[in-house]
Amino acid sequence: MKAPLWTSQAIGQATGGAISAPFTASGVSIDTRTLAPGDLFVALTDQRDGHDFVAAAFDKGAAAALVTHRPQNVAPDAPLVVVEDVLSALVALGRAARARTQASVLAITGSVGKTGTKDMAARVLTAQGRTHSSVKSYNNHWGVPLTLARMPADTEFAVIEIGMNAPGEIAPLSRLAHPDVAMITAIAPVHMAAFESLRGIAQEKGAIFEGVSQGGIAILNRDAPRYGQLLRRAQRRGLRPVRYGWSGLPEFRLHRVGVTESATSVGARVHRRALMFKLGTPGKHFALNALGVLAAVEALGADIAKAALALGTWTPPDGRGLRWSVDLGEGGLDGRIRLIDESYNANPAALAAALDVFAVTQPDHGVGRVAQGRRIAFLGDMLELGRNASAMHRDMVKQDALDQIDVVHCAGPLMQALHDALPARCQGEWHADATSLARRARRLVDAGDVAMVKGSLGSKMGQVVDAIKALGHVRPDTPMGED
């Protein structure tokens, strides 16, 4: 019989909370929509007060609730853990979970690529031991402690994503996760509203080293801006640096990347020995992240060869390059639209990488009202870029990949700068927001087209994704001839 994740006694010891009745919990949840029977419900207060949902949590089978008081409509005998502050108690529970496990822990941060890289690492480590990782992008002040609180005591490998929006956020999360290995994927002009320069961003990202175990390892992207700054920060902390990338002579060095519309082949040298592997998704940037994952795998004491083989089964998470085929008509008799969903996040570096991948994706010809299938980009605002945001949007017109894109439709006040700069041959429509563009989407695509949708989460370009999906039957995408 599987041991419970938490007993009420252990939760009480970790949080200092008062236990109203004994219980055991098999999971930890902050959302009644995804709560499973047996979960401890944590009544966080964010946009809404979690105490308003405690009764619903018990109706769905919650084992207990972590609260500051007994909410209305909750039975007098309902098992509660009563604490002074729910978030502080969740942090304490996460700290206790980290302390009780012997897992080898990898923490990942970076301006771009951290969620996909986290998922890559979790995928390849799962084949080598009991692995626990962050879900979605749970990487902030409540996401990291929640991830840790959900970690079983017998975990062998853990992969924790750590993010930030402002200075001072990463170091305490790293100390909480207390990783053995820390990886920084990239330094890019993201969150520029809170940071004045790349130096400031690198300073905050480098704070991930503050929580690394004594004698731990820092995985560094040799090609990243401010690499030298990050290297010095790691060395001052007494960490051993391991580098990956194209430049210089890193321990994990890329020397060849081949990209097709369905895969990426990678040639590398690891400690000067040849290594070849394949990713089951296209993207030069994915190849770089994958090599960093292999460096982390080695640092954790796992098998690189097994990990390289497992990379072939990895696909991007929702909103970060996941590909769909939208079949039109009964059984797809009217053709299909291929859809690349990049709607979760956007910044100049990520958009440039996405456009490069999009440029090699082939439309289907001779199947729609337009004889030649088209590459059609739907682009929404890139947020949190600071005072130079409009110029950063406009400068995307310089990307060589745009030469291969037939039409670019834009949404949002910032994307108007790019729309106005586009050459007439590919300038599509501009709309004030994603909602307006989504209403037009069905008239802007046709059978045979391949569409890419990208924007920051706050620009709500997921509405455009949903509008295109609504045109037919949706299934995972395969290039023509591979169905």
Side-chain angles (χ1 to χ4, degrees):
M1 183 175 179
K2 186 177 180 181
L5 180 66
W6 291 103
T7 64
S8 53
Q9 181 181 14
I11 292 174
Q13 290 174 345
T15 65
I19 309 297
S20 67
F23 64 89
T24 60
S26 54
V28 181
S29 173
I30 61 169
D31 190 339
T32 55
R33 294 169 297 182
T34 55
L35 182 143
D39 281 354
L40 169 71
F41 178 68
V42 180
L44 286 176
T45 298
D46 191 24
Q47 296 178 352
R48 301 180 70 178
D49 188 348
H51 290 80
D52 295 340
F53 301 93
V54 173
F58 280 119
D59 288 343
K60 292 193 68 174
L66 182 64
V67 297
T68 60
H69 61 277
R70 182 180 298 278
Q72 292 182 346
N73 303 319
V74 172
D77 60 347
L80 301 176
V81 183
V82 182
V83 296
E84 290 187 8
D85 181 80
V86 173
L87 178 59
S88 296
L90 178 60
V91 170
L93 196 62
R95 185 176 294 110
R98 178 65 183 96
R100 72 181 182 178
T101 183
Q102 298 299 309
S104 296
V105 178
L106 166 65
I108 298 175
T109 193
S111 298
V112 294
K114 56 185 174 291
T115 299
T117 304
K118 174 262 298 182
D119 286 350
M120 269 190 205
R123 171 67 64 87
V124 302
L125 288 168
T126 296
Q128 303 194 42
R130 292 181 294 276
T131 300
H132 178 73
S133 67
S134 311
V135 299
K136 300 182 179 178
S137 290
Y138 285 5
N139 61 24
N140 62 2
H141 64 288
W142 57 259
V144 172
L146 176 63
T147 298
L148 293 170
R150 289 171 164 175
M151 180 166 58
D154 64 353
T155 298
E156 295 176 276
F157 299 107
V159 187
I160 311 297
E161 180 182 343
I162 297 180
M164 59 85 173
N165 289 302
E169 294 181 342
I170 286 182
L173 296 178
S174 178
R175 294 187 185 106
L176 183 64
H178 193 45
D180 303 289
V181 180
M183 177 180 178
I184 300 177
T185 60
I187 302 296
V190 182
H191 306 303
M192 292 299 286
F195 296 91
E196 294 185 355
S197 65
L198 285 181
R199 185 181 186 280
I201 291 173
Q203 177 70 14
E204 179 63 18
K205 293 298 184 183
I208 196 172
F209 301 141
E210 297 303 310
V212 179
S213 303
Q214 188 68 29
I217 297 174
I219 308 296
L220 299 174
N221 179 350
R222 182 63 180 81
D223 305 327
R226 310 302 304 180
Y227 158 74
Q229 177 184 346
L230 297 174
L231 175 63
R232 291 188 294 272
R233 181 81 174 267
Q235 291 173 330
R236 284 197 301 270
R237 285 284 302 155
L239 307 183
R240 178 167 66 88
V242 175
R243 292 144 286 224
Y244 68 98
W246 297 92
S247 306
L249 293 172
E251 291 84 352
F252 287 69
R253 186 182 184 188
L254 278 176
H255 69 81
R256 183 188 61 79
V257 176
V259 179
T260 69
E261 61 176 300
S262 60
T264 304
S265 60
V266 184
R269 297 193 70 81
V270 175
H271 303 300
R272 302 193 178 188
R273 298 181 63 180
L275 175 69
M276 297 183 66
F277 61 94
K278 185 177 181 180
L279 297 169
T281 194
K284 193 174 182 179
H285 56 302
F286 290 142
L288 182 63
N289 293 341
L291 194 62
V293 165
L294 294 182
V297 165
E298 180 186 70
L300 292 169
D303 188 298
I304 290 181
K306 291 181 180 178
L309 186 63
L311 283 170
T313 66
W314 176 81
T315 55
D318 284 344
R320 293 179 172 87
L322 202 60
R323 293 178 167 227
W324 302 100
S325 182
V326 181
D327 296 333
L328 307 176
E330 187 69 27
L333 288 176
D334 296 330
R336 66 174 180 171
I337 298 164
R338 299 177 64 196
L339 174 63
I340 304 174
D341 180 6
E342 289 269 8
S343 62
Y344 191 87
N345 199 10
N347 55 66
L351 178 53
L355 289 171
D356 285 342
V357 173
F358 189 40
V360 300
T361 304
Q362 298 299 318
D364 303 328
H365 300 308
V367 294
R369 292 168 297 175
V370 180
Q372 294 290 109
R374 302 163 296 176
R375 298 185 185 95
I376 303 175
F378 294 83
L379 305 181
D381 285 350
M382 301 180 287
L383 304 179
E384 299 185 43
L385 296 182
R387 61 180 180 271
N388 294 320
S390 290
M392 291 182 184
H393 282 72
R394 182 182 62 248
D395 287 348
M396 296 309 298
V397 77
K398 301 174 184 177
Q399 297 297 316
D400 292 340
L402 280 175
D403 293 340
Q404 306 301 318
I405 296 171
D406 298 284
V407 186
V408 180
H409 301 295
C410 298
L414 293 172
M415 267 299 166
Q416 187 171 14
L418 174 60
H419 175 267
D420 292 345
L422 287 168
R425 65 156 193 86
C426 67
Q427 187 184 56
E429 298 183 5
W430 174 82
H431 291 263
D433 53 43
T435 302
S436 177
L437 181 56
R439 293 193 195 104
R440 285 282 297 156
R442 63 178 298 158
R443 299 186 180 278
L444 300 177
V445 292
D446 188 23
D449 292 339
V450 55
M452 182 186 77
V453 182
K454 190 161 184 69
S456 290
L457 184 62
S459 68
K460 301 181 179 179
M461 291 297 285
Q463 295 177 82
V464 179
V465 173
D466 292 342
I468 296 174
K469 284 183 173 180
L471 296 177
H473 172 71
V474 180
R475 59 182 173 84
D477 178 50
T478 54
M480 184 66 82
E482 295 183 18
D483 295 289

